[in-house]
mmCIF file of all heavy atoms in Angstrom:
data_model
loop_
_atom_site.group_PDB
_atom_site.id
_atom_site.type_symbol
_atom_site.label_atom_id
_atom_site.label_comp_id
_atom_site.label_asym_id
_atom_site.label_seq_id
_atom_site.Cartn_x
_atom_site.Cartn_y
_atom_site.Cartn_z
ATOM 1 N N VAL A 16 37.942 12.700 39.247
ATOM 2 C CA VAL A 16 39.317 13.180 39.125
ATOM 3 C C VAL A 16 39.846 13.346 40.548
ATOM 4 O O VAL A 16 39.259 14.085 41.346
ATOM 5 C CB VAL A 16 39.333 14.548 38.395
ATOM 6 C CG1 VAL A 16 40.752 15.079 38.291
ATOM 7 C CG2 VAL A 16 38.698 14.416 37.018
ATOM 8 N N ILE A 52 41.358 7.475 29.996
ATOM 9 C CA ILE A 52 40.130 7.038 29.314
ATOM 10 C C ILE A 52 39.615 8.167 28.404
ATOM 11 O O ILE A 52 39.226 7.937 27.259
ATOM 12 C CB ILE A 52 39.059 6.587 30.329
ATOM 13 C CG1 ILE A 52 39.525 5.299 31.035
ATOM 14 C CG2 ILE A 52 37.709 6.356 29.645
ATOM 15 C CD1 ILE A 52 38.674 4.871 32.227
ATOM 16 N N VAL A 63 49.077 3.216 28.790
ATOM 17 C CA VAL A 63 49.205 2.447 30.029
ATOM 18 C C VAL A 63 48.953 3.398 31.192
ATOM 19 O O VAL A 63 49.480 4.513 31.217
ATOM 20 C CB VAL A 63 50.644 1.879 30.195
ATOM 21 C CG1 VAL A 63 50.741 1.037 31.465
ATOM 22 C CG2 VAL A 63 51.044 1.058 29.004
ATOM 23 N N PHE A 70 42.448 -0.596 44.680
ATOM 24 C CA PHE A 70 41.079 -0.043 44.607
ATOM 25 C C PHE A 70 40.939 0.821 43.350
ATOM 26 O O PHE A 70 39.967 0.704 42.606
ATOM 27 C CB PHE A 70 40.796 0.828 45.832
ATOM 28 C CG PHE A 70 40.816 0.094 47.140
ATOM 29 C CD1 PHE A 70 41.924 0.146 47.977
ATOM 30 C CD2 PHE A 70 39.717 -0.650 47.545
ATOM 31 C CE1 PHE A 70 41.929 -0.526 49.187
ATOM 32 C CE2 PHE A 70 39.717 -1.326 48.755
ATOM 33 C CZ PHE A 70 40.833 -1.261 49.581
ATOM 34 N N GLU A 74 38.789 0.194 39.798
ATOM 35 C CA GLU A 74 37.805 1.190 39.358
ATOM 36 C C GLU A 74 38.142 1.689 37.939
ATOM 37 O O GLU A 74 37.254 1.876 37.104
ATOM 38 C CB GLU A 74 37.787 2.344 40.368
ATOM 39 C CG GLU A 74 36.818 3.469 40.086
ATOM 40 C CD GLU A 74 35.344 3.037 40.084
ATOM 41 O OE1 GLU A 74 35.024 1.922 40.533
ATOM 42 O OE2 GLU A 74 34.519 3.838 39.606
ATOM 43 N N PRO A 84 35.496 0.065 25.764
ATOM 44 C CA PRO A 84 35.950 -1.325 25.872
ATOM 45 C C PRO A 84 36.926 -1.737 24.769
ATOM 46 O O PRO A 84 37.710 -2.647 24.965
ATOM 47 C CB PRO A 84 34.650 -2.141 25.808
ATOM 48 C CG PRO A 84 33.632 -1.223 25.242
ATOM 49 C CD PRO A 84 34.045 0.167 25.584
ATOM 50 N N PHE A 90 45.759 -1.077 32.437
ATOM 51 C CA PHE A 90 46.077 -0.504 33.745
ATOM 52 C C PHE A 90 46.920 -1.516 34.509
ATOM 53 O O PHE A 90 46.601 -2.717 34.516
ATOM 54 C CB PHE A 90 44.795 -0.173 34.513
ATOM 55 C CG PHE A 90 44.059 0.981 33.918
ATOM 56 C CD1 PHE A 90 42.882 0.787 33.202
ATOM 57 C CD2 PHE A 90 44.542 2.280 34.048
ATOM 58 C CE1 PHE A 90 42.204 1.854 32.632
ATOM 59 C CE2 PHE A 90 43.875 3.354 33.470
ATOM 60 C CZ PHE A 90 42.702 3.145 32.771
ATOM 61 N N GLY A 95 54.883 3.313 40.536
ATOM 62 C CA GLY A 95 55.171 4.127 39.354
ATOM 63 C C GLY A 95 56.667 4.284 39.108
ATOM 64 O O GLY A 95 57.096 4.441 37.963
ATOM 65 N N PRO A 100 59.267 2.580 29.872
ATOM 66 C CA PRO A 100 58.728 2.269 28.536
ATOM 67 C C PRO A 100 59.673 1.300 27.830
ATOM 68 O O PRO A 100 60.816 1.139 28.262
ATOM 69 C CB PRO A 100 58.722 3.634 27.836
ATOM 70 C CG PRO A 100 59.709 4.470 28.566
ATOM 71 C CD PRO A 100 59.824 3.929 29.973
ATOM 72 N N SER A 110 52.753 11.457 31.725
ATOM 73 C CA SER A 110 52.187 12.348 32.746
ATOM 74 C C SER A 110 52.275 11.724 34.130
ATOM 75 O O SER A 110 52.332 10.496 34.278
ATOM 76 C CB SER A 110 50.715 12.665 32.410
ATOM 77 O OG SER A 110 49.974 11.469 32.290
ATOM 78 N N ILE A 117 56.597 9.988 44.076
ATOM 79 C CA ILE A 117 57.007 8.689 43.521
ATOM 80 C C ILE A 117 58.468 8.743 43.051
ATOM 81 O O ILE A 117 59.226 7.806 43.220
ATOM 82 C CB ILE A 117 56.093 8.293 42.343
ATOM 83 C CG1 ILE A 117 54.687 8.004 42.842
ATOM 84 C CG2 ILE A 117 56.654 7.098 41.570
ATOM 85 C CD1 ILE A 117 53.673 7.722 41.731
ATOM 86 N N ASP A 126 62.440 14.852 35.263
ATOM 87 C CA ASP A 126 63.536 14.070 34.656
ATOM 88 C C ASP A 126 63.043 12.697 34.204
ATOM 89 O O ASP A 126 63.366 12.240 33.103
ATOM 90 C CB ASP A 126 64.689 13.881 35.661
ATOM 91 C CG ASP A 126 65.518 15.152 35.825
ATOM 92 O OD1 ASP A 126 65.492 16.009 34.922
ATOM 93 O OD2 ASP A 126 66.181 15.286 36.874
ATOM 94 N N LEU A 128 59.961 11.726 33.452
ATOM 95 C CA LEU A 128 59.015 11.791 32.325
ATOM 96 C C LEU A 128 59.724 12.199 31.031
ATOM 97 O O LEU A 128 59.398 11.695 29.946
ATOM 98 C CB LEU A 128 57.862 12.750 32.643
ATOM 99 C CG LEU A 128 57.002 12.395 33.872
ATOM 100 C CD1 LEU A 128 55.870 13.409 34.025
ATOM 101 C CD2 LEU A 128 56.431 10.986 33.808
ATOM 102 N N PRO A 134 60.778 13.214 21.142
ATOM 103 C CA PRO A 134 60.899 14.597 20.681
ATOM 104 C C PRO A 134 59.522 15.142 20.289
ATOM 105 O O PRO A 134 58.721 14.418 19.682
ATOM 106 C CB PRO A 134 61.821 14.480 19.460
ATOM 107 C CG PRO A 134 62.623 13.238 19.710
ATOM 108 C CD PRO A 134 61.706 12.303 20.445
ATOM 109 N N VAL A 138 55.006 16.419 28.224
ATOM 110 C CA VAL A 138 55.326 16.063 29.611
ATOM 111 C C VAL A 138 54.350 16.849 30.478
ATOM 112 O O VAL A 138 54.351 18.088 30.460
ATOM 113 C CB VAL A 138 56.792 16.410 29.953
ATOM 114 C CG1 VAL A 138 57.034 16.378 31.451
ATOM 115 C CG2 VAL A 138 57.738 15.434 29.247
ATOM 116 N N LEU A 154 53.067 23.168 58.071
ATOM 117 C CA LEU A 154 54.026 22.173 57.571
ATOM 118 C C LEU A 154 53.981 20.919 58.437
ATOM 119 O O LEU A 154 54.036 19.795 57.922
ATOM 120 C CB LEU A 154 55.446 22.757 57.561
ATOM 121 C CG LEU A 154 55.680 23.874 56.540
ATOM 122 C CD1 LEU A 154 57.063 24.492 56.724
ATOM 123 C CD2 LEU A 154 55.537 23.341 55.110
ATOM 124 N N VAL A 171 57.356 26.019 37.132
ATOM 125 C CA VAL A 171 57.518 26.237 35.689
ATOM 126 C C VAL A 171 59.005 26.222 35.322
ATOM 127 O O VAL A 171 59.437 25.550 34.375
ATOM 128 C CB VAL A 171 56.891 27.591 35.280
ATOM 129 C CG1 VAL A 171 57.236 27.927 33.836
ATOM 130 C CG2 VAL A 171 55.383 27.560 35.493
ATOM 131 N N ARG A 194 35.731 22.006 46.238
ATOM 132 C CA ARG A 194 35.010 20.824 45.765
ATOM 133 C C ARG A 194 35.839 19.570 46.031
ATOM 134 O O ARG A 194 35.328 18.568 46.519
ATOM 135 C CB ARG A 194 34.693 20.973 44.274
ATOM 136 C CG ARG A 194 33.868 19.834 43.746
ATOM 137 C CD ARG A 194 33.399 20.069 42.316
ATOM 138 N NE ARG A 194 32.475 19.021 41.946
ATOM 139 C CZ ARG A 194 32.849 17.800 41.619
ATOM 140 N NH1 ARG A 194 34.131 17.484 41.602
ATOM 141 N NH2 ARG A 194 31.955 16.881 41.316
ATOM 142 N N TYR A 201 32.379 14.631 52.487
ATOM 143 C CA TYR A 201 31.064 14.076 52.157
ATOM 144 C C TYR A 201 31.150 12.557 52.019
ATOM 145 O O TYR A 201 30.308 11.811 52.550
ATOM 146 C CB TYR A 201 30.595 14.722 50.849
ATOM 147 C CG TYR A 201 29.254 14.256 50.365
ATOM 148 C CD1 TYR A 201 28.079 14.860 50.805
ATOM 149 C CD2 TYR A 201 29.166 13.202 49.448
ATOM 150 C CE1 TYR A 201 26.842 14.423 50.349
ATOM 151 C CE2 TYR A 201 27.935 12.757 48.991
ATOM 152 C CZ TYR A 201 26.774 13.372 49.442
ATOM 153 O OH TYR A 201 25.569 12.933 48.998
ATOM 154 N N THR A 209 26.967 4.126 56.102
ATOM 155 C CA THR A 209 26.636 2.854 55.455
ATOM 156 C C THR A 209 27.558 1.704 55.895
ATOM 157 O O THR A 209 27.373 0.575 55.466
ATOM 158 C CB THR A 209 26.705 3.007 53.917
ATOM 159 O OG1 THR A 209 27.948 3.627 53.585
ATOM 160 C CG2 THR A 209 25.562 3.859 53.397
ATOM 161 N N ASP A 212 29.732 -0.808 61.101
ATOM 162 C CA ASP A 212 30.511 -1.819 61.839
ATOM 163 C C ASP A 212 31.981 -1.863 61.435
ATOM 164 O O ASP A 212 32.723 -2.717 61.918
ATOM 165 C CB ASP A 212 29.904 -3.218 61.610
ATOM 166 C CG ASP A 212 28.482 -3.281 62.143
ATOM 167 O OD1 ASP A 212 28.195 -2.524 63.094
ATOM 168 O OD2 ASP A 212 27.677 -4.057 61.576
ATOM 169 N N SER A 249 62.031 19.435 19.587
ATOM 170 C CA SER A 249 62.005 18.481 18.464
ATOM 171 C C SER A 249 63.216 17.568 18.488
ATOM 172 O O SER A 249 63.164 16.446 17.988
ATOM 173 C CB SER A 249 61.992 19.216 17.128
ATOM 174 O OG SER A 249 60.935 20.100 17.118
ATOM 175 N N ASN A 252 69.121 17.622 23.134
ATOM 176 C CA ASN A 252 70.577 17.732 23.028
ATOM 177 C C ASN A 252 71.249 16.631 23.849
ATOM 178 O O ASN A 252 70.616 15.946 24.645
ATOM 179 C CB ASN A 252 71.053 19.135 23.417
ATOM 180 C CG ASN A 252 70.779 19.438 24.871
ATOM 181 O OD1 ASN A 252 70.814 18.525 25.693
ATOM 182 N ND2 ASN A 252 70.507 20.689 25.181
#
Side-chain angles (χ1 to χ4, degrees):
V16 179
I52 293 170
V63 182
F70 297 100
E74 180 62 13
F90 290 106
S110 56
I117 292 175
D126 284 338
L128 300 182
V138 166
L154 292 173
V171 171
R194 184 172 187 283
Y201 180 87
T209 50
D212 298 332
S249 305
N252 65 32

